[in-house]
Structures are given as C-alpha cells and as structure tokens.
Amino acid sequence: MPSVAAARSAPSGTGRPDRFDRLRRHRRWLFGLVVVALLGQMAAAMVSTALRQTPTIDEPVYVGTAMVYLREHSLRYNPEHPPLGKLIIGAGLLFADARFDPAFTGSQGAVGRHLLYESGNDPGRLMLLARLPMILLTLLFGLVVYLFAGDLVGRVGGSVALALYAFSPDVIAHGSLATLDVPASGFLLTSVWLLWRARRRPLRYLPLAAVALGAALATRMSALAAVPVLLLLVVVSVWYAGRRSDLGARTGARLLGLGAAAGVGVGLVAIAVVWASYLVVDPRLGWATPENLRAVHGLRGLALDWLPFPQPYRDGMRFQFLIEDKTLSGFLFGRHYRGSRWYYLPAAMLVKTPLGALALWLAGTVALVLVPRLRAVVPYVLVPPAVLLAVAVTGSRDFGVRYVIFLPMFLAVAAAAVVAVRWRWAPAVTGALVLFVAVSSLSTYPYYLPYSNEAFGGPARTHRHLHDSNVDWGQDLGRLADRLRQRYPGERVWLVYKGSGVPSYYGIVAADPLKVPPSEVHGLLVVSNSRVAKAGPPLSTLIESSRPIDQVGHSITIYRRP
C-alpha cells in the first residue's frame, strides 16, 4: 500500500499537484515574504536614521580607533573594549579612502574628531560607511531571532518574534550606530541559538556556537558574565544529544564527562577568537600597559591575572573596573541623583519598550514556563539575559538601556511562545499587540533614540524621565543647524551641547553662556536635554529665567532669553 505521504504527493487525475503540497509551498513563500518585509522596513528605518544623525558621543572614538587599526595596526586607542566591533566598523571604512594623519598623537576622543572634522573628510559619508556594517549585522541577528523562535514554535512564532525585533525602537536606534552594544548582544544570542540546535547535532553546531561566543567576548567585555551560563548549556546540550541518540546507553557520568569536555573545547575556541581579534590588528601584540593605569586588587585583580586573554584585554578590564569604582550620576523620572540605582535599568526599559512588546514578553515568558514541551528552552532563552541583567543592575553607569539591549533580542524569542497557547482568542490578541508595537514604532520615525511608549508620553516627553543615550546622545546637531537657519536666521545663539559633533562644522555660530554672567545672555539659549536634566547653577538659573520655544529631535531644547 502506498504511504499517506506518497498519496499526498501523488498527482491528481488532472495532472495538477496535490492541494496539500501547493498550500505548503505557498505558506513557505508567504513566510519568506513576511521576513523580507519586516527586515526591509527595519533596514529602511536604520539606513535613513543613520543618514540623518550626526555622530553620537561614543561613535567618533570607535571610528577613529578603527581607522588607526586599519592604517597603523596599533592597539593604543580604546583599550577598554576589545577590537572585533571596531574591526567590523573598519570594514565600512575600507571604502572611504579617508585622509588621516598617522602622526596624530591626541587622545582617543580627539582622534575621532581629527578624522571626522579636521582632516578634510566628509563626516557624514564616513559615519554612514562606519554604520552600514552594523546595520547589516543587526539585520542578520533578526534572522537569528526568526530561526530561533521558528525552531521552538514554528514559522508563525518566528514571524511574531521577528516583528517584535524589527519594530523595536531601541534595536533600530542602536543598530543604526557605529557602536558595540548590539553586536555583542547579537553574537551572544547567536551562540545560545546554536547551543539549542546542538541538542540534535552537537558536532555541527557546538563549534559555531563557540565562535559566536568568542565574537561576543571580542566585542564587549560585559559578555564575560554570560560565559559560565553558556558553558553549562554546552553540557546540557551534549547530555540531551547523548540521551536521544545511540549514546543513550552510556551512563550519566559518561555523558557529563562528554559535556564537560565539550565545554572545555567551546571555551578554548572562544578564547582563540578573542586572541585572533587582537592579532589581526597587531600580529606582534606591541602593547604596553599605560603607566597611569592603577592596579585592581582583591578578587577582581586575582581574576584578571588568571584570565587566558591577551594583556591588552586584561588591561581593558582594569579600565572598566576603575570606571565602575567611580561615583557617577544619573537621572530618572525627573530626579537627578549621585551614584546608581539598581532599579534604573528595569525602569528605563519600562519607559522605552512598546507597551505591546511588554505584554508579549510577559505572556511569552509565562508560556515558556507553563507549556510542558517548551520548558526545556527556559535555560537557553531566559537564564542568560537574567544573569546579564543581574550583573548590569549592579553597575555604576545609569546611562541608558543600551547596556541591556540583549533584552529585546532574547525576549522577542520568548514572546513567540504565545503561539503555543491553546486559547481561543490568543491569535487575535497576539496579532493586535504586534500591530500596536508596529504603529508605536513607526509613529516615532525617525526619532528612535528618544523613543518612549505612550504610557510615558511618547518621544516628546522622554527627556522628562530619562537622559543620556536614552534620549540625547548628541545625534541632532545637524538638525539643530537646519532649524536655526530656517526659523531663527541672524539671531544670537548661546549653546550648551552634549555630544561629540563640532557645531561650527555645521554652520552653527554660538557662544558658551556658562563663560559669561547670566545678565549678558540674551537671544536663543540652546541646551541639550541631557544637560537640562542634570543642570546646576549657573545653567539652571539661565533655564529657569528663559522660555522654551522649540524642540529639535526631542533631544535639544531652544529657549528664548529676554
């Protein structure tokens, strides 16, 4: 007797393909179009945003360092971050044919300004070329989100996850910048996904997971917090693969031994990737520890001495520890404070995440825990971001949700679990929430960086709740120049700008109001909203005696001084 599968595939009497096969092919094409459409709109949003934004605070450092990597093969700049992310940025700069003075010896902040504004280059073109590799990488991570969720609950769940990722204002905002937060988080997500797939084919996927983990470590040192979790997941994946294959006859102890050996192998490959990222820049590793770099003592110092990474990596971690030891300041819900608050990042995520995404994240997390067939993925999808978040909330830098940009990536995958819920209205509610996310995201275009959801007043009010990279990272200097030319030609301008751009390059002729008595400041007072949030005398005095008349990009306020 022919099998059911054969009967389904057999042609009908009319010679036409079976209806079931035709529907299956159409579904495949339909989901392919959904993926293309979602990633296409994301690409359009990121590229157009990258074209309009002037350099943010961190970007010139990374771009200048990347140029030094390419031209001089030197590690002397930006040692507090490993090289891989900047090498990816440098891949775009290969097409720039930029002028750069190899004799320049300024600081890492100065080297970026020198490249962008003082060497005769077009800063807009250079920044676009530096941002394009990150945009491409962000889109590829979107495919990882889709495939990871699809492995769990099928193509419908994959589409839900990809929609949340592709419409995430935070991912769009930071994925369109030449910075390191999105690539480090994306490489970690990729590694976790490959470890999940290794449960069925460990020999194929464990080496790839190791390379992805090494790429994360070679991009940002904060990824180190996830290493113990991922190595435990290696053991879990090998155990599962052994129990379901002909290795199942082996004892639990043997499987644990295989898993431990695989974990060591994954760790060694990841370490090799980190070393390779440094050797690509400088094959001789001509690095000398800066004389002004203070030693780190205690358990942290001991851990640094034992890390199997190059000396510049360990010195970079010393930089990071010394920054964490400083008492910095933050701004949350209208209050400027000294020090840090453990609840800052969760509160900031509550402000800056679309309401529909928050609902789906919660529902998907509950579904992962309650649906029996999905519980096995909980250690993969929920534990790594939970550990990273626990580490992040203890940090001293209350500067922005970019430090937890992994949350919208991992939780998009978790949200896909809602399609496994057998509730009558679940599909309709899920679709409505995804549509709500899409509308909220599209309505903020092109101001993704200062996005906040409707419960907190939208992007126009974000500066009342948050500061720094959550709203104002120096990205709107070009827009400010256009606004001053169009609406306020010939007026006296006083500027307090927080950013890395050079106002005079964009034609902004302004004076510093903090260098003269307040009685001499008349005309337009232009202040970055991050400076407004943390203003003390005399700036607060100037602001209180001025009248706000305009906003630029939701990140800069223009006041009228009588």
PDB file of all heavy atoms in Angstrom, residues 427-447:
ATOM      1  N   PRO A 427      -4.645  34.025  19.118  1.00  0.00           N
ATOM      2  CA  PRO A 427      -4.126  34.570  17.852  1.00  0.00           C
ATOM      3  C   PRO A 427      -4.546  36.015  17.603  1.00  0.00           C
ATOM      4  O   PRO A 427      -3.736  36.838  17.164  1.00  0.00           O
ATOM      5  CB  PRO A 427      -4.719  33.622  16.803  1.00  0.00           C
ATOM      6  CG  PRO A 427      -4.988  32.352  17.536  1.00  0.00           C
ATOM      7  CD  PRO A 427      -5.402  32.768  18.903  1.00  0.00           C
ATOM      8  N   ALA A 428      -5.810  36.326  17.901  1.00  0.00           N
ATOM      9  CA  ALA A 428      -6.292  37.694  17.654  1.00  0.00           C
ATOM     10  C   ALA A 428      -5.596  38.687  18.576  1.00  0.00           C
ATOM     11  O   ALA A 428      -5.196  39.784  18.141  1.00  0.00           O
ATOM     12  CB  ALA A 428      -7.807  37.751  17.848  1.00  0.00           C
ATOM     13  N   VAL A 429      -5.462  38.329  19.851  1.00  0.00           N
ATOM     14  CA  VAL A 429      -4.809  39.229  20.796  1.00  0.00           C
ATOM     15  C   VAL A 429      -3.337  39.412  20.431  1.00  0.00           C
ATOM     16  O   VAL A 429      -2.811  40.540  20.461  1.00  0.00           O
ATOM     17  CB  VAL A 429      -4.945  38.686  22.235  1.00  0.00           C
ATOM     18  CG1 VAL A 429      -4.109  39.511  23.203  1.00  0.00           C
ATOM     19  CG2 VAL A 429      -6.416  38.690  22.664  1.00  0.00           C
ATOM     20  N   THR A 430      -2.681  38.323  20.056  1.00  0.00           N
ATOM     21  CA  THR A 430      -1.270  38.418  19.653  1.00  0.00           C
ATOM     22  C   THR A 430      -1.108  39.321  18.444  1.00  0.00           C
ATOM     23  O   THR A 430      -0.235  40.196  18.412  1.00  0.00           O
ATOM     24  CB  THR A 430      -0.708  37.020  19.346  1.00  0.00           C
ATOM     25  OG1 THR A 430      -0.803  36.198  20.512  1.00  0.00           O
ATOM     26  CG2 THR A 430       0.744  37.107  18.899  1.00  0.00           C
ATOM     27  N   GLY A 431      -1.957  39.136  17.445  1.00  0.00           N
ATOM     28  CA  GLY A 431      -1.888  39.984  16.257  1.00  0.00           C
ATOM     29  C   GLY A 431      -2.124  41.446  16.577  1.00  0.00           C
ATOM     30  O   GLY A 431      -1.442  42.333  16.043  1.00  0.00           O
ATOM     31  N   ALA A 432      -3.086  41.709  17.463  1.00  0.00           N
ATOM     32  CA  ALA A 432      -3.378  43.098  17.834  1.00  0.00           C
ATOM     33  C   ALA A 432      -2.202  43.729  18.563  1.00  0.00           C
ATOM     34  O   ALA A 432      -1.860  44.901  18.323  1.00  0.00           O
ATOM     35  CB  ALA A 432      -4.631  43.141  18.710  1.00  0.00           C
ATOM     36  N   LEU A 433      -1.562  42.974  19.447  1.00  0.00           N
ATOM     37  CA  LEU A 433      -0.412  43.514  20.178  1.00  0.00           C
ATOM     38  C   LEU A 433       0.778  43.762  19.249  1.00  0.00           C
ATOM     39  O   LEU A 433       1.484  44.771  19.384  1.00  0.00           O
ATOM     40  CB  LEU A 433      -0.020  42.558  21.302  1.00  0.00           C
ATOM     41  CG  LEU A 433      -0.997  42.482  22.483  1.00  0.00           C
ATOM     42  CD1 LEU A 433      -0.591  41.383  23.451  1.00  0.00           C
ATOM     43  CD2 LEU A 433      -1.077  43.825  23.205  1.00  0.00           C
ATOM     44  N   VAL A 434       1.013  42.863  18.306  1.00  0.00           N
ATOM     45  CA  VAL A 434       2.096  43.080  17.335  1.00  0.00           C
ATOM     46  C   VAL A 434       1.799  44.326  16.504  1.00  0.00           C
ATOM     47  O   VAL A 434       2.700  45.146  16.236  1.00  0.00           O
ATOM     48  CB  VAL A 434       2.273  41.846  16.433  1.00  0.00           C
ATOM     49  CG1 VAL A 434       3.204  42.160  15.261  1.00  0.00           C
ATOM     50  CG2 VAL A 434       2.822  40.672  17.232  1.00  0.00           C
ATOM     51  N   LEU A 435       0.541  44.495  16.087  1.00  0.00           N
ATOM     52  CA  LEU A 435       0.165  45.689  15.324  1.00  0.00           C
ATOM     53  C   LEU A 435       0.372  46.948  16.165  1.00  0.00           C
ATOM     54  O   LEU A 435       0.836  47.981  15.654  1.00  0.00           O
ATOM     55  CB  LEU A 435      -1.290  45.580  14.877  1.00  0.00           C
ATOM     56  CG  LEU A 435      -1.830  46.747  14.043  1.00  0.00           C
ATOM     57  CD1 LEU A 435      -1.035  46.894  12.749  1.00  0.00           C
ATOM     58  CD2 LEU A 435      -3.312  46.538  13.739  1.00  0.00           C
ATOM     59  N   PHE A 436       0.043  46.889  17.441  1.00  0.00           N
ATOM     60  CA  PHE A 436       0.239  48.021  18.343  1.00  0.00           C
ATOM     61  C   PHE A 436       1.719  48.393  18.418  1.00  0.00           C
ATOM     62  O   PHE A 436       2.093  49.570  18.388  1.00  0.00           O
ATOM     63  CB  PHE A 436      -0.313  47.657  19.723  1.00  0.00           C
ATOM     64  CG  PHE A 436      -0.338  48.799  20.716  1.00  0.00           C
ATOM     65  CD1 PHE A 436      -0.233  50.128  20.311  1.00  0.00           C
ATOM     66  CD2 PHE A 436      -0.469  48.536  22.062  1.00  0.00           C
ATOM     67  CE1 PHE A 436      -0.257  51.165  21.229  1.00  0.00           C
ATOM     68  CE2 PHE A 436      -0.495  49.557  23.004  1.00  0.00           C
ATOM     69  CZ  PHE A 436      -0.387  50.880  22.585  1.00  0.00           C
ATOM     70  N   VAL A 437       2.579  47.368  18.497  1.00  0.00           N
ATOM     71  CA  VAL A 437       4.030  47.619  18.513  1.00  0.00           C
ATOM     72  C   VAL A 437       4.466  48.294  17.214  1.00  0.00           C
ATOM     73  O   VAL A 437       5.233  49.268  17.225  1.00  0.00           O
ATOM     74  CB  VAL A 437       4.804  46.304  18.718  1.00  0.00           C
ATOM     75  CG1 VAL A 437       6.310  46.517  18.537  1.00  0.00           C
ATOM     76  CG2 VAL A 437       4.526  45.729  20.108  1.00  0.00           C
ATOM     77  N   ALA A 438       3.972  47.782  16.093  1.00  0.00           N
ATOM     78  CA  ALA A 438       4.364  48.344  14.796  1.00  0.00           C
ATOM     79  C   ALA A 438       3.943  49.807  14.677  1.00  0.00           C
ATOM     80  O   ALA A 438       4.728  50.662  14.244  1.00  0.00           O
ATOM     81  CB  ALA A 438       3.753  47.520  13.666  1.00  0.00           C
ATOM     82  N   VAL A 439       2.716  50.118  15.068  1.00  0.00           N
ATOM     83  CA  VAL A 439       2.220  51.501  14.975  1.00  0.00           C
ATOM     84  C   VAL A 439       3.027  52.416  15.896  1.00  0.00           C
ATOM     85  O   VAL A 439       3.411  53.536  15.520  1.00  0.00           O
ATOM     86  CB  VAL A 439       0.724  51.554  15.318  1.00  0.00           C
ATOM     87  CG1 VAL A 439       0.245  52.995  15.447  1.00  0.00           C
ATOM     88  CG2 VAL A 439      -0.091  50.820  14.257  1.00  0.00           C
ATOM     89  N   SER A 440       3.296  51.958  17.107  1.00  0.00           N
ATOM     90  CA  SER A 440       4.061  52.760  18.057  1.00  0.00           C
ATOM     91  C   SER A 440       5.472  53.036  17.532  1.00  0.00           C
ATOM     92  O   SER A 440       5.986  54.149  17.656  1.00  0.00           O
ATOM     93  CB  SER A 440       4.130  52.043  19.411  1.00  0.00           C
ATOM     94  OG  SER A 440       4.786  52.829  20.371  1.00  0.00           O
ATOM     95  N   SER A 441       6.070  52.024  16.928  1.00  0.00           N
ATOM     96  CA  SER A 441       7.430  52.186  16.400  1.00  0.00           C
ATOM     97  C   SER A 441       7.441  53.106  15.182  1.00  0.00           C
ATOM     98  O   SER A 441       8.269  54.022  15.082  1.00  0.00           O
ATOM     99  CB  SER A 441       8.006  50.815  16.040  1.00  0.00           C
ATOM    100  OG  SER A 441       9.281  50.931  15.453  1.00  0.00           O
ATOM    101  N   LEU A 442       6.533  52.871  14.261  1.00  0.00           N
ATOM    102  CA  LEU A 442       6.512  53.682  13.043  1.00  0.00           C
ATOM    103  C   LEU A 442       6.178  55.141  13.339  1.00  0.00           C
ATOM    104  O   LEU A 442       6.669  56.049  12.660  1.00  0.00           O
ATOM    105  CB  LEU A 442       5.497  53.104  12.058  1.00  0.00           C
ATOM    106  CG  LEU A 442       5.848  51.733  11.454  1.00  0.00           C
ATOM    107  CD1 LEU A 442       4.674  51.172  10.675  1.00  0.00           C
ATOM    108  CD2 LEU A 442       7.085  51.829  10.571  1.00  0.00           C
ATOM    109  N   SER A 443       5.372  55.369  14.368  1.00  0.00           N
ATOM    110  CA  SER A 443       4.976  56.746  14.666  1.00  0.00           C
ATOM    111  C   SER A 443       6.122  57.566  15.250  1.00  0.00           C
ATOM    112  O   SER A 443       6.061  58.797  15.231  1.00  0.00           O
ATOM    113  CB  SER A 443       3.796  56.752  15.634  1.00  0.00           C
ATOM    114  OG  SER A 443       4.166  56.196  16.885  1.00  0.00           O
ATOM    115  N   THR A 444       7.163  56.923  15.750  1.00  0.00           N
ATOM    116  CA  THR A 444       8.292  57.670  16.307  1.00  0.00           C
ATOM    117  C   THR A 444       9.348  57.991  15.253  1.00  0.00           C
ATOM    118  O   THR A 444      10.273  58.763  15.532  1.00  0.00           O
ATOM    119  CB  THR A 444       8.944  56.890  17.464  1.00  0.00           C
ATOM    120  OG1 THR A 444       9.736  57.777  18.261  1.00  0.00           O
ATOM    121  CG2 THR A 444       9.832  55.766  16.960  1.00  0.00           C
ATOM    122  N   TYR A 445       9.212  57.404  14.057  1.00  0.00           N
ATOM    123  CA  TYR A 445      10.187  57.638  12.997  1.00  0.00           C
ATOM    124  C   TYR A 445      10.328  59.135  12.719  1.00  0.00           C
ATOM    125  O   TYR A 445       9.338  59.853  12.642  1.00  0.00           O
ATOM    126  CB  TYR A 445       9.744  56.919  11.715  1.00  0.00           C
ATOM    127  CG  TYR A 445      10.643  57.175  10.528  1.00  0.00           C
ATOM    128  CD1 TYR A 445      11.781  56.425  10.336  1.00  0.00           C
ATOM    129  CD2 TYR A 445      10.345  58.187   9.610  1.00  0.00           C
ATOM    130  CE1 TYR A 445      12.620  56.658   9.249  1.00  0.00           C
ATOM    131  CE2 TYR A 445      11.169  58.428   8.531  1.00  0.00           C
ATOM    132  CZ  TYR A 445      12.308  57.662   8.357  1.00  0.00           C
ATOM    133  OH  TYR A 445      13.137  57.908   7.289  1.00  0.00           O
ATOM    134  N   PRO A 446      11.546  59.650  12.531  1.00  0.00           N
ATOM    135  CA  PRO A 446      12.843  58.984  12.576  1.00  0.00           C
ATOM    136  C   PRO A 446      13.566  59.147  13.921  1.00  0.00           C
ATOM    137  O   PRO A 446      14.773  58.999  13.980  1.00  0.00           O
ATOM    138  CB  PRO A 446      13.618  59.715  11.477  1.00  0.00           C
ATOM    139  CG  PRO A 446      13.127  61.134  11.617  1.00  0.00           C
ATOM    140  CD  PRO A 446      11.670  61.037  12.030  1.00  0.00           C
ATOM    141  N   TYR A 447      12.797  59.420  14.974  1.00  0.00           N
ATOM    142  CA  TYR A 447      13.413  59.711  16.281  1.00  0.00           C
ATOM    143  C   TYR A 447      13.359  58.480  17.182  1.00  0.00           C
ATOM    144  O   TYR A 447      12.654  58.447  18.193  1.00  0.00           O
ATOM    145  CB  TYR A 447      12.701  60.898  16.935  1.00  0.00           C
ATOM    146  CG  TYR A 447      12.630  62.115  16.043  1.00  0.00           C
ATOM    147  CD1 TYR A 447      11.403  62.592  15.590  1.00  0.00           C
ATOM    148  CD2 TYR A 447      13.784  62.769  15.629  1.00  0.00           C
ATOM    149  CE1 TYR A 447      11.326  63.702  14.765  1.00  0.00           C
ATOM    150  CE2 TYR A 447      13.718  63.877  14.797  1.00  0.00           C
ATOM    151  CZ  TYR A 447      12.493  64.336  14.368  1.00  0.00           C
ATOM    152  OH  TYR A 447      12.427  65.435  13.540  1.00  0.00           O
TER     153      TYR A 447
END
